[in-house]
Amino acid sequence: MTPEEWEKVEALFSSALALPAAERREHLKRSVGADARLRADVEELLHAHGDNAGFLSAPLWAVADAHGDADDTADDGDRVPERIGPYQVLRRIGRGGMGQVFLAEREAHDVRLQVALKVMRRGMDSADLVKRFKMERLILASLDHAHIARLLDVGVTDTGAPYIVMEYVQGESILAFADRARLSVVDRLALFKGICAAVQHAHRRLVVHRDLKPQNILVNADGVPKLLDFGIARILDADAGSDGAMHTDANARLLTPGYAAPEQLRGEPVTTACDVYALGVLLYELLAGCHPFAYDGAARAIVQQRVLETEPAPPSTRTSHECAANRRTSVSSLRTTLRGDLDTIVLKALRKEAEHRYGSASALDDDLDRYLHGQPVRARSATRRYRVGKFVQRNRAFVAVAAVLMAVLVASSALTAYQARRIGQEAARVASERDKALEVRTFLLEIFGTTGPDQPTGDSVTARALLDRRAATLGTSIRADDTSNTDLRAEMMSVLAEGYEKLGLLTNAEPLAGAGGPPPPPPRGGPAPPRRRWPPHGCGVDEEQNKF
């Protein structure tokens, strides 16, 4: 099949796949016409898709392995050998365009070590492919990280084919593992951060992976993710004056469209920003449970168009009940968790302009670390409200205690101020009553001549004369317009009025009593208090002569 024929098959398959199953046959009749071979090819694809809807998105070695080793004897070059160098071959675990991967075993010092052995296929030993195979070997030799499958050995077969011996990772893809284990969002981020660290390790050694996708990241039985397949990786300074980019049409196809950055699809120079973009796609799938551009089942051209022209929706808007269940939460709770910081982080990694993405995998890792620790992420604008909110979020216990203490302090201060005000008022009232009592005492003593410089001595003085004399001087001692001594003046006038009343001089008592105010009312429900008799009996007043 020529590339042009395949493009037709792919386009018809994609258009038919978008229709209900009952309408596909009629659609093919209208679209294909008399080309029976083209129609048969599309129908075969549709039938295979019905048996396994995800087979197009699976890696080639997985599809080949699923069909068993029935075709192992079809070509001597594809036959599973018994041994390769010092390694005993157990079975084939993968097959790609330029090589095969076998599970092999080597016994040394009574220890059996299982390895993944990748050997170049016969007939694929062109100069370019041999150079690329050697480049992968060189790259793996330069990498040493806990989350990257290690290079253990290299060699050449008896037929002259080069091979690479790597750490054998028995596990499943990172997406399948996360869903099967029903990892929470936090656990998924912790898993993803390991991959970020591995990619950053490669970038420090000027290695760009260029094909980061779930199938190339396996999680072993211990839950440790491992980055595999540096088959199309490039060393940035591999060629003089080049950053390792591939510009030819043939090389442009050495990528996975759903995980390739826009500049890769356009054939532009490859940089570390391409891996940052692929990490963004992977993070999107880990969080939202779907590809940002609906990659499954879509034709290559359609996926490329979406990547180049369509802006991905925030992950929080793409969640589903199945996705939430795989993360042990509800849809509403998952959307709340993703909305805000995580949405911003993912969309920044997926920016179509390379200069607007994270500058490195470690910068992406650092922002995720800041999110996990409740700190402001660098992808968002650092507004005061946002920073305060993040501070409260990561110091909830401290803020709660501080708020309670502040409330207690404010309440205590208010109570203290209120009590101080009441105490002050009471002290002022007591002082006023004390001063008034002293003034009344002095007033009474002056009436009876025991004080004062001008009191006559030696002669008897009538009570009325004493009252008249004091009433005459009352206005000069306390002015009527002196508001500060209103109560004292009233008290003194009341004393004079009662004195006149006791002498039977009601005419003189009445104006003084009116100015001094009425006597206090009797208590409710009880008899009126007895009127104070003035002067008291036995004070020496002669009632007939009004003399002392």
Side-chain angles (χ1 to χ4, degrees):
M1 185 181 296
T2 64
E4 292 76 15
E5 290 173 336
W6 170 247
E7 290 290 344
K8 292 181 181 180
V9 171
E10 194 175 28
L12 285 171
F13 170 74
S14 299
S15 61
L17 196 63
L19 299 174
E23 301 178 11
R24 292 173 183 172
R25 184 180 297 274
E26 189 64 30
H27 170 72
L28 288 179
K29 287 182 179 179
R30 295 194 304 268
S31 303
V32 174
D35 194 339
R37 178 184 173 185
L38 178 59
R39 177 178 174 182
D41 289 338
V42 176
E43 286 181 343
E44 184 178 358
L45 280 176
L46 289 172
H47 177 72
H49 184 271
D51 292 339
N52 182 6
F55 87 103
L56 285 179
S57 61
L60 181 60
W61 61 264
V63 176
D65 194 50
H67 287 78
D69 294 331
D71 60 343
D72 285 346
T73 59
D75 186 347
D76 290 342
D78 283 348
R79 181 176 300 165
V80 177
E82 293 184 2
R83 298 187 67 86
I84 297 179
Y87 296 93
Q88 178 72 37
V89 177
L90 302 179
R91 61 184 175 89
R92 181 165 52 201
I93 56 178
R95 180 167 50 187
M98 71 175 188
Q100 301 181 84
V101 181
F102 300 99
L103 175 62
E105 188 177 66
R106 181 176 183 178
E107 184 176 355
H109 305 290
D110 298 328
V111 176
R112 292 182 179 273
L113 176 66
Q114 289 192 342
V115 298
L117 194 151
K118 182 176 182 179
V119 60
M120 179 173 285
R121 297 174 63 182
R122 291 183 58 184
M124 304 300 295
D125 51 352
S126 65
D128 182 66
L129 292 180
V130 170
K131 180 181 178 181
R132 186 140 53 88
F133 196 86
K134 291 181 177 180
M135 178 66 71
E136 180 181 4
R137 187 168 62 185
L138 179 64
I139 288 172
L140 288 172
S142 68
L143 302 178
D144 182 16
H145 194 271
H147 296 291
I148 298 178
R150 301 190 316 274
L151 175 68
L152 302 177
D153 194 7
V154 296
V156 179
T157 66
D158 295 339
T159 59
Y163 66 83
I164 300 173
V165 181
M166 297 172 293
E167 171 189 1
Y168 174 56
V169 181
Q170 186 174 10
E172 52 189 330
S173 75
I174 187 170
L175 294 183
F177 173 83
D179 285 345
R180 181 185 59 78
R182 299 183 65 199
L183 297 184
S184 66
V185 169
V186 172
D187 292 336
R188 289 167 186 259
L189 292 179
L191 198 67
F192 179 79
K193 280 169 58 64
I195 300 303
C196 286
V199 173
Q200 182 61 29
H201 175 80
H203 288 178
R204 288 196 186 99
R205 285 150 182 78
L206 303 179
V207 174
V208 181
H209 190 282
R210 298 201 310 154
D211 197 25
L212 294 172
K213 56 186 177 181
Q215 292 80 11
N216 286 338
I217 302 171
L218 299 184
V219 182
N220 62 22
D222 296 327
V224 178
K226 295 280 188 175
L227 181 58
L228 312 174
D229 198 355
F230 283 79
I232 66 170
R234 297 288 292 192
I235 299 177
L236 291 180
D237 62 349
D239 301 313
S242 171
D243 61 358
M246 290 184 169
H247 296 283
T248 65
D249 291 340
N251 288 330
R253 289 186 177 274
L254 294 175
L255 50 80
T256 305
Y259 297 87
E263 60 267 28
Q264 283 181 274
L265 297 177
R266 291 191 293 262
E268 297 174 0
V270 173
T271 66
T272 55
C274 297
D275 283 350
V276 172
Y277 181 90
L279 287 173
V281 177
L282 178 62
L283 181 58
Y284 195 110
E285 292 182 295
L286 278 171
L287 298 179
C290 61
H291 192 276
F293 301 106
Y295 177 56
D296 293 343
R300 181 189 184 104
I302 295 176
V303 174
Q304 290 184 1
Q305 182 180 9
R306 291 172 182 169
V307 171
L308 293 172
E309 301 176 2
T310 305
E311 292 295 336
S316 60
T317 65
R318 298 284 305 279
T319 58
S320 63
H321 290 284
E322 181 181 2
C323 172
N326 287 337
R327 288 147 186 81
R328 301 183 184 181
T329 185
S330 63
V331 173
S332 59
S333 179
L334 179 60
R335 288 175 180 171
T336 301
T337 300
L338 300 183
R339 190 180 299 119
D341 285 348
L342 289 179
D343 275 349
T344 305
I345 291 173
V346 174
L347 294 181
K348 181 177 177 64
L350 290 176
R351 291 293 298 268
K352 299 191 183 303
E353 309 85 0
E355 62 274 13
H356 292 158
R357 297 177 203 141
Y358 285 100
S360 63
S362 64
L364 172 59
D365 187 17
D366 177 68
D367 241 6
L368 290 174
D369 196 57
R370 296 177 69 86
Y371 166 78
L372 291 173
H373 288 85
Q375 298 177 341
V377 300
R378 304 189 189 280
R380 294 188 65 173
S381 300
T383 62
R384 180 176 300 178
R385 178 180 179 182
Y386 173 66
R387 287 186 174 275
V388 170
K390 299 302 288 185
F391 176 83
V392 172
Q393 181 180 356
R394 68 176 181 269
N395 297 282
R396 290 178 179 174
F398 171 77
V399 171
V401 172
V404 172
L405 292 178
M406 183 62 69
V408 171
L409 180 61
V410 170
S412 177
S413 299
L415 180 60
T416 301
Y418 172 75
Q419 291 177 340
R421 187 170 63 253
R422 290 293 303 272
I423 291 173
Q425 292 173 348
E426 187 65 21
R429 186 188 66 79
V430 170
S432 176
E433 292 293 334
R434 180 200 61 200
D435 294 342
K436 185 165 66 175
L438 289 174
E439 290 290 340
V440 172
R441 176 179 178 277
T442 302
F443 179 72
L444 290 174
L445 292 175
E446 289 177 351
I447 290 178
F448 296 106
T450 59
T451 63
D454 55 349
Q455 300 299 325
T457 59
D459 296 331
S460 297
V461 183
T462 64
R464 177 173 181 176
L466 291 174
L467 292 175
D468 289 343
R469 185 184 301 166
R470 203 68 190 102
T473 61
L474 183 60
T476 59
S477 60
I478 301 178
R479 295 172 51 187
D481 58 354
D482 187 358
T483 58
S484 63
N485 291 309
T486 302
D487 292 343
L488 179 58
R489 179 182 175 84
E491 184 71 20
M492 290 180 176
M493 293 178 72
S494 178
V495 170
L496 291 173
E498 192 167 351
Y500 280 118
E501 181 185 3
K502 294 301 181 179
L503 297 177
L505 303 174
L506 299 180
T507 303
N508 299 82
E510 185 175 355
L512 295 172
R524 183 177 299 178
R531 296 183 63 86
R532 184 177 60 180
R533 298 188 60 81
W534 190 96
H537 292 290
C539 66
V541 177
D542 187 342
E543 303 221 1
E544 292 183 359
Q545 298 297 328
N546 294 326
K547 295 181 181 179
F548 288 96

